[in-house]
Amino acid sequence: MKHKTLKLSVLSIALTSLLTACGGGGGSDGGSTTPPANVQGRAIDGPLSGATVTFNDCNNAQTTTDASGNFTFPTGCSKSLVTITGGIDTATDLPFTGELKAPRSEGAQNKIVVSPITTLIQANVAAGASPAQAAQQVAAALNLTGVDLLSADPMTNQALYAKTVAVQELVEQIQTAVAGLGGSTSQADLTTKAFTALQAALTSSSAPNSGALTSAATISAALSATVDAVKNDLPQATQDKLANVKENLSALTSSVIANNVTKIETAITSVPAATFNNGTDSIKTATQSAIVSTKESVATQQIIEALAPVLTSAPASVAESLKEISVAVASNNSSSASTISTALDQIQTNVGTGVINVADIKDTVTKANDFYADYLKLEGFSIQSTSYTPTALNASLATPINVSSINNLLVGVSGVGKYNTTGITPITTGAALKIAVDTKEITIIADKLNLEFTAGTLTKAVIPSGAKVDVKSTLNTVASTNFTVDAEKNVLSGNKIALNTTTLSSLSPSLASQLTTFSLKDKTAALTAVISATPVFAITKADNTATLASKYTVGTVDGSGISAKFKVTQ
């Protein structure tokens, strides 16, 4: 009996320690030895379906949201910090490529919401506030005083939902603007830094406290703080003139950013209360078109690309003209072209033709609200000779596609505009593929992939000699490795990039052999393919219009790509 009692005591101590580490019993629950049962969560930008929920303080346990964005906290994890990634925003049918967080719970809450606003709150917590203090400060800044931002469901509170989607749009616009400076910060890191900067701009003692995410002071402060946060990753010429760049970037983009965020808020707040109260489907019908068109705007990106050379100039020479351009692009009315032309001429007069050539960029800036004329188009995935469009792949993030195998994966790429001609210089890219199953994943990264096009069709795809391939794996059956390619390897199959056993065998027979032992039967695999290159990458939507391809970070590769989920049946 003594040994049995001793074993039970040891087991009891071990369980208690585990629960404490996971945010369960003991002091983390205010003295309770039993964590609250059935704590529910919901992931909202719009409701995020098929998103991965990670309980950071609970050994990084994971679950997946349902079609409405709902999830259940694992036993013992009720107090954990929560992170949301992936999935699809069911209010827009767009992939969610950001990262949302909700702080550790302080009380006995049985409902936790994870949203762009709770991500602001977590950024405030990381800066030293308690969750309650942080929530109060963010609520005051957004004119949402009296709303419990950690548990209130945005889909049942119109004002809260408008601010929720507007915050996410503002963060994405900040990311776009700062990424346009050409730094090496990954999209994932840039997301975190943009949320931190926006939180500080909204809750500082000098904040306008008007609840307006569109104020010039808020946008300028958030942009400047984000630039400061990534300054060491920026080109040296930008670092040397950082103060100029921050002021000029704000002048060039603030009105365009404010206009996009205003459109989002207006689209949601103008929905009749009766329509909003009918639920998510009704809200989607009323707002999807306006929100999607705003999220797909390329104006911020285009004007930064065109005018990047003048951002290091003294603000006294260019800032006012940049501001006029921003207002004109945001207004996009009959007088915009004339205003832009005059402002560009003034900039060229002040900085000289050696910095910009107005004739080269006038058309781009004037038509900044139009989509690019020249781009590479990601056609989607082909598996086992069946092709899936980007629209179908987006939908699979919520409802996985059944396939017999994910072998013979091909990625289609074609050229549009100047890439739909002959004699185009070969394009060198980095490329990566990630396969994630449950909490296990493998990433295969090639630092060089050379692509050639003839009349828009991909006619050559090779990994050149000397390219480095890096394999990272958390699978027991596949070892992490890296190697240098000893001779050029052809990875073209039917005018598509082949990511199959033939390609892997040519690169590394041992790696291909290891992967054949990795069984996916009855498993759902999330696949993300990313290409990193200078050209713009786009996808074609169901209505046959083009939009920018989603941005993903896979290992060390940060670029444009496609993500999808497949249920393997054999």
Side-chain angles (χ1 to χ4, degrees):
M1 289 295 293
K2 181 183 292 186
H3 293 299
K4 186 174 183 180
T5 302
L6 177 60
K7 290 179 180 178
L8 288 173
S9 298
V10 171
L11 178 60
S12 176
I13 292 170
L15 287 173
T16 300
S17 299
L18 177 61
L19 290 174
T20 300
C22 290
S28 64
D29 264 352
S32 171
T33 58
T34 304
N38 299 319
V39 176
Q40 301 297 307
R42 194 176 192 194
I44 301 285
D45 176 14
L48 298 180
S49 174
T52 298
V53 186
T54 302
F55 302 90
N56 303 87
D57 300 324
C58 201
N59 297 322
N60 289 322
Q62 290 185 338
T63 189
T64 303
T65 61
D66 67 14
S68 299
N70 298 312
F71 61 93
T72 301
F73 282 68
T75 301
C77 298
S78 62
K79 301 295 187 184
S80 178
L81 170 71
V82 176
T83 301
I84 304 286
T85 55
I88 190 165
D89 180 348
T90 59
T92 61
D93 293 331
L94 297 176
F96 182 73
T97 61
E99 182 178 84
L100 303 179
K101 293 181 180 290
R104 289 172 56 90
S105 174
E106 288 185 317
Q109 292 173 272
N110 57 17
K111 177 69 179 287
I112 302 292
V113 168
V114 191
S115 73
I117 289 179
T118 66
T119 308
L120 286 179
I121 293 170
Q122 173 55 30
N124 204 356
V125 170
S130 70
Q133 291 171 333
Q136 289 174 359
Q137 290 173 352
V138 171
L142 296 178
N143 277 346
L144 294 170
T145 303
V147 179
D148 183 353
L149 299 181
L150 296 172
S151 62
D153 188 342
M155 305 313 297
T156 61
N157 183 319
Q158 192 165 359
L160 176 58
Y161 183 51
K163 293 294 185 184
T164 296
V165 184
V167 165
Q168 183 63 29
E169 174 64 16
L170 180 48
V171 167
E172 291 174 2
Q173 286 284 307
I174 292 169
Q175 285 179 269
T176 296
V178 177
L181 299 179
S184 59
T185 308
S186 72
Q187 288 293 315
D189 287 343
L190 197 49
T191 296
T192 300
K193 296 182 189 303
F195 267 112
T196 298
L198 179 56
Q199 171 270 323
L202 287 169
T203 60
S204 69
S205 57
S206 59
N209 198 35
S210 65
L213 293 163
T214 55
S215 75
T218 297
I219 294 172
S220 179
L223 279 170
S224 293
T226 306
V227 172
D228 278 332
V230 303
K231 62 184 179 182
N232 292 333
D233 297 336
L234 296 173
Q236 190 60 52
T238 302
Q239 294 185 44
D240 292 342
K241 300 288 186 180
L242 199 66
N244 292 356
V245 170
K246 290 192 294 183
E247 185 170 342
N248 291 333
L249 184 67
S250 294
L252 177 61
T253 63
S254 287
S255 291
V256 175
I257 291 174
N259 183 57
N260 283 345
V261 177
T262 298
K263 286 180 179 178
I264 291 276
E265 285 201 75
T266 301
I268 296 173
T269 56
S270 62
V271 174
T275 301
F276 189 91
N277 293 335
N278 274 338
T280 301
D281 289 343
S282 182
I283 296 169
K284 177 178 179 177
T285 299
T287 63
Q288 182 179 19
S289 178
I291 294 175
V292 169
S293 65
T294 301
K295 282 183 171 291
E296 292 179 344
S297 168
V298 295
T300 299
Q301 185 167 316
Q302 293 220 67
I303 59 177
I304 292 173
E305 288 175 359
L307 288 159
V310 308
L311 295 180
T312 56
S313 303
S317 300
V318 298
E320 281 304 313
S321 296
L322 294 176
K323 189 178 296 183
E324 290 171 3
I325 290 170
S326 187
V327 171
V329 171
S331 301
N332 196 27
N333 56 31
S334 58
S335 64
S336 294
S338 175
T339 300
I340 290 170
S341 180
T342 300
L344 287 174
D345 287 341
Q346 185 62 55
I347 290 173
Q348 183 169 268
T349 297
N350 291 347
V351 303
T353 55
V355 179
I356 61 167
N357 186 320
V358 169
D360 290 340
I361 66 173
K362 183 179 293 186
D363 192 55
T364 297
V365 178
T366 302
K367 297 179 179 179
N369 290 290
D370 298 338
F371 197 74
Y372 290 86
D374 307 309
Y375 57 90
L376 298 180
K377 184 166 63 173
L378 293 174
E379 303 282 5
F381 288 156
S382 175
I383 296 180
Q384 300 296 327
S385 301
T386 300
S387 296
Y388 300 94
T389 66
T391 299
L393 297 175
N394 287 348
S396 78
L397 298 173
T399 306
I401 297 169
N402 288 333
V403 294
S404 60
S405 166
I406 59 171
N407 190 24
N408 200 27
L409 172 66
L410 309 178
V411 180
V413 184
S414 61
V416 176
K418 71 180 183 181
Y419 301 105
N420 190 22
T421 60
T422 56
I424 292 298
T425 302
I427 296 165
T428 299
T429 81
L433 174 68
K434 179 172 75 172
I435 304 172
V437 181
D438 299 325
T439 59
K440 302 292 186 179
E441 66 180 44
I442 180 170
T443 60
I444 303 172
I445 299 170
D447 69 344
K448 291 180 182 177
L449 173 63
N450 294 339
L451 306 177
E452 293 184 22
F453 296 85
T454 301
T457 298
L458 182 65
T459 52
K460 187 175 182 179
V462 299
I463 298 178
S465 174
K468 293 179 173 56
V469 176
D470 190 29
V471 179
K472 298 293 185 185
S473 172
T474 60
L475 306 175
N476 294 330
T477 56
V478 181
S480 296
T481 185
N482 60 77
F483 54 89
T484 300
V485 176
D486 57 2
E488 182 179 283
K489 307 295 183 183
N490 176 44
V491 294
L492 186 72
S493 177
N495 303 117
K496 296 180 180 180
I497 301 169
L499 302 173
N500 51 25
T501 36
T502 301
T503 296
L504 290 174
S505 293
S506 71
L507 292 171
S508 172
S510 62
L511 174 60
S513 176
Q514 290 175 51
L515 282 172
T516 59
T517 66
F518 176 41
S519 176
L520 287 174
K521 187 177 187 307
D522 297 326
K523 298 284 189 179
T524 296
L527 272 62
T528 304
V530 175
I531 299 177
S532 176
T534 301
V536 169
F537 281 85
I539 62 171
T540 300
K541 301 189 295 181
D543 63 2
N544 211 35
T545 59
T547 184
L548 289 178
S550 297
K551 299 285 189 180
Y552 294 96
T553 299
V554 172
T556 57
V557 177
D558 192 58
S560 302
I562 297 177
S563 190
K565 289 183 179 179
F566 297 96
K567 175 71 177 293
V568 181
T569 59
Q570 295 180 12

